[in-house]
C-alpha cells in the first residue's frame, strides 16, 4: 500500500498572473488563499488546491494527442448546464456539451488558453 495519501495541489502555468487571478476568482468563483509575484493559490470546496504559476509564453497546463490539446485538470459541477451558460455569458471559450451514458461534460479555456474540463 502506498504511503501517499492524497493529491494536495495541481499547478497550472499562466501567462499573466494578475489576469488569471482575476479570471479564476470572478469567472469561476474560486477563493484566493494567497498570492505573490510568481504564484497564486486557490482553495476549492475540497482539496486539492489549485496553484497558478507565472510561466513562459509557450507553457500550457495541457498536453497534445495527435496534435490536439487534451486537458489535465478536470472539475465537477452539479449545475453543469447553468455553469456552461454562465461561462458563455462571460465570453469564455467553451466547447460543446457532451453526454456519455448520462455523464455530461465540456471543455473550456482560461485566459492563458489552458484547456480545462468540467463534468457531472
Amino acid at each position: 500500500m502506498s504511503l501517499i495519501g492524497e493529491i494536495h495541489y495541481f499547478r497550472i502555468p499562466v501567462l499573466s498572473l494578475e489576469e488569471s487571478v482575476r479570471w479564476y476568482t470572478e469567472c469561476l468563483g474560486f477563493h484566493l488563499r494567497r498570492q505573490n509575484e510568481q504564484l497564486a493559490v486557490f482553495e476549492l470546496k475540497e482539496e486539492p488546491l489549485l496553484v497558478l504559476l507565472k510561466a513562459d509564453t509557450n507553457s500550457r497546463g495541457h498536453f497534445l494527442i495527435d496534435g490536439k490539446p487534451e486537458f489535465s485538470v478536470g472539475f465537477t459541477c452539479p449545475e453543469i448546464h447553468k455553469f456552461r451558460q454562465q461561462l458563455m455569458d462571460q465570453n469564455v471559450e467553451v466547447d460543446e456539451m457532451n453526454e456519455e451514458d448520462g455523464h455530461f461534460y465540456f471543455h473550456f479555456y482560461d485566459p492563458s488558453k489552458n484547456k480545462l474540463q468540467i463534468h457531472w
Side-chain angles (χ1 to χ4, degrees), residues 15 19 24 27 32 37 88 118:
L15 303 178
E19 177 185 25
Y24 278 84
C27 192
L32 181 63
E37 291 180 5
M88 291 188 314
I118 191 92

Side-chain angles (χ1 to χ4, degrees), residues 8-105:
H8 183 61
Y9 57 85
F10 286 100
R11 296 172 10 140
I12 297 177
V14 296
L15 303 178
S16 168
L17 189 59
E18 290 302 319
E19 177 185 25
S20 295
V21 165
R22 191 170 38 259
W23 189 83
Y24 278 84
T25 55
E26 294 175 5
C27 192
L28 299 186
F30 289 179
H31 173 73
L32 181 63
R33 181 184 216 180
R34 70 182 185 89
Q35 178 181 356
N36 62 33
E37 291 180 5
Q38 296 299 315
L39 64 84
V41 178
F42 289 92
E43 293 178 353
L44 286 77
K45 290 180 183 178
E46 297 181 24
E47 285 193 341
L49 300 171
L50 180 66
V51 179
L52 304 182
L53 293 161
K54 187 175 178 182
D56 294 343
T57 303
N58 292 326
S59 297
R60 297 293 179 279
H62 57 257
F63 54 92
L64 303 177
I65 295 179
D66 295 327
K68 296 179 183 177
E70 290 289 330
F71 73 96
S72 58
V73 177
F75 301 102
T76 60
C77 178
E79 297 186 59
I80 191 168
H81 296 283
K82 181 179 179 180
F83 180 67
R84 184 172 181 273
Q85 185 61 54
Q86 177 183 320
L87 292 177
M88 291 188 314
D89 290 346
Q90 295 180 50
N91 297 315
V92 173
E93 183 180 350
V94 176
D95 289 346
E96 293 296 316
M97 179 72 73
N98 295 286
E99 186 269 332
E100 190 175 293
D101 297 325
H103 174 81
F104 291 91
Y105 66 93

